[in-house]
Amino acid sequence: METRQLECFVAVAEELSFTRAARRLYAVQSTVSATIQALEGELGVKLFDRSTRRVALSPAGAVFLPEAKAALEAFDRAREVVADASAGLRGSLRFGTLTSVGDLDLPELLGAFHRRYPLVELHVTVSITGSTGLAEDLRQGRLDVALLGLPESDLAGLETKLVGSVPFVVVLPDGHRLGDRPSLTLADVAGESFVDNPRGFGNRVALDRAFEAIGAPRRVVVEVADLRAVPGYVAAGLGIAVVPDLRLLAGVRTIPLDEPGLVWPLTIATRGERPPGRAARLLLDLLDGEEFSLALPVRS
């Protein structure tokens, strides 16, 4: 059994499509299909149930998937150790981040890591489902490290370090009836139409739960992935917003949200099931070092 066979199996199992798996592996579909058939022949079992419309893991394939992932991770760790001993740190590091991070100087952090370990192939990505998608990518082994904005209750299965927390502000258009207030509560703005991030983004998760807790589910009429787009929609009169105060909101009035305990936590996370690889550990060490700081204070 070869590592390429395991890589093909994991790709098809995660994508549930031979076409998407081939694209992910930079291979042709016929090669992926032949590799899976050879692996099934070696194991003597059928790993996938195939039809003209769908691909699904067979019972044997579902049992084999975590073992295949563990074998690939063990091989990667062994390769890292050998590479370290011979010619400096090699391998890859998959880092997931948020669309908007305010004062967090991630480019500097990742740039410092790249300068120190130039042979490590660095991949930086965002998720279309925000922090929820990043957390799931960590759990499934598709990412090594991620910056998340989820409540602690949503971080099960992950090893985490709190980087900082950010208070929320209310964003209002000119002339709004609440525009002269020094602060606002969720009850004050209940019933308004809202501009917000899509479902799955950490700040959206926190706000939806907070409004539900006071018995006032809200109506989100505009969903945008980047917080920097919020002011334009608010200024156009399409709704108000309650978002983390990342100082990205030019041209609109912001008023502090007076809700004790309601903050947006920012967390660096790795997969909790197994210890992170050497490249991920060194990135975390760099983050902890005195020479580099993400410069975001924890606020209560």
Side-chain angles (χ1 to χ4, degrees), residues 172-177 179 234-235 237 251-253:
L172 301 174
D174 289 340
H176 193 277
R177 61 184 178 84
V234 172
V252 288
R253 175 158 175 69

Side-chain angles (χ1 to χ4, degrees), residues 4-230:
R4 186 61 175 175
Q5 292 176 311
L6 297 180
E7 289 170 348
C8 284
F9 167 70
V10 170
V12 176
E14 291 183 343
E15 300 291 345
L16 293 180
S17 164
F18 281 82
T19 301
R20 290 194 297 272
R23 192 179 306 125
R24 169 171 156 180
L25 295 167
Y26 302 100
V28 295
Q29 184 175 334
S30 59
T31 299
V32 174
S33 297
T35 302
I36 295 299
Q37 289 174 356
L39 179 59
E40 289 175 326
E42 285 189 34
L43 295 173
V45 296
K46 189 177 181 181
L47 296 172
F48 295 99
D49 295 323
R50 306 168 178 83
S51 71
T52 56
R53 293 192 301 177
R54 63 189 290 270
V55 175
L57 279 167
S58 69
V63 171
F64 185 56
L65 180 57
E67 301 302 324
K69 287 183 175 180
L72 288 173
E73 289 170 359
F75 178 76
D76 286 342
R77 287 195 297 272
R79 185 164 51 187
E80 284 179 0
V81 169
V82 172
D84 288 355
S86 61
L89 183 65
R90 294 177 181 266
S92 65
L93 178 65
R94 301 162 299 171
F95 187 92
T97 185
L98 307 173
T99 306
S100 303
V101 293
D103 288 343
L104 294 177
D105 197 350
L106 285 176
E108 176 58 27
L109 170 65
L110 298 176
F113 179 86
H114 177 67
R115 290 190 295 274
R116 188 169 296 188
Y117 307 108
L119 299 179
V120 175
E121 189 175 354
L122 189 61
H123 302 272
V124 183
T125 185
V126 298
S127 170
I128 59 173
T129 51
S131 288
T132 301
L134 294 173
E136 186 59 23
D137 285 343
L138 280 174
R139 294 186 183 101
Q140 296 301 321
R142 294 187 288 267
L143 288 176
D144 302 305
V145 186
L147 177 67
L148 308 176
L150 287 170
E152 185 177 354
S153 58
D154 291 42
L155 300 175
L158 303 175
E159 288 293 326
T160 62
K161 171 183 172 59
L162 183 66
V163 175
S165 57
V166 183
F168 284 87
V169 292
V170 182
V171 186
L172 301 174
D174 289 340
H176 193 277
R177 61 184 178 84
L178 299 173
D180 60 350
R181 299 276 293 273
S183 65
L184 293 167
T185 66
L186 294 180
D188 293 328
V189 297
E192 297 274 352
S193 296
F194 285 86
V195 179
D196 207 335
N197 290 136
R199 293 184 184 276
F201 281 58
N203 52 299
R204 171 74 182 268
V205 169
L207 259 294
D208 283 347
R209 291 177 184 172
F211 275 103
E212 288 168 5
I214 65 171
R218 62 194 179 123
R219 188 167 69 103
V220 177
V221 298
V222 178
E223 294 182 334
V224 292
D226 194 333
L227 286 175
R228 289 168 292 191
V230 167

Side-chain angles (χ1 to χ4, degrees), residues 103-105 108-109 286-296:
D103 288 343
L104 294 177
D105 197 350
E108 176 58 27
L109 170 65
L286 185 61
L287 178 60
D288 286 336
E290 293 181 3
E291 64 190 277
F292 186 86
S293 171
L294 286 180
L296 185 72

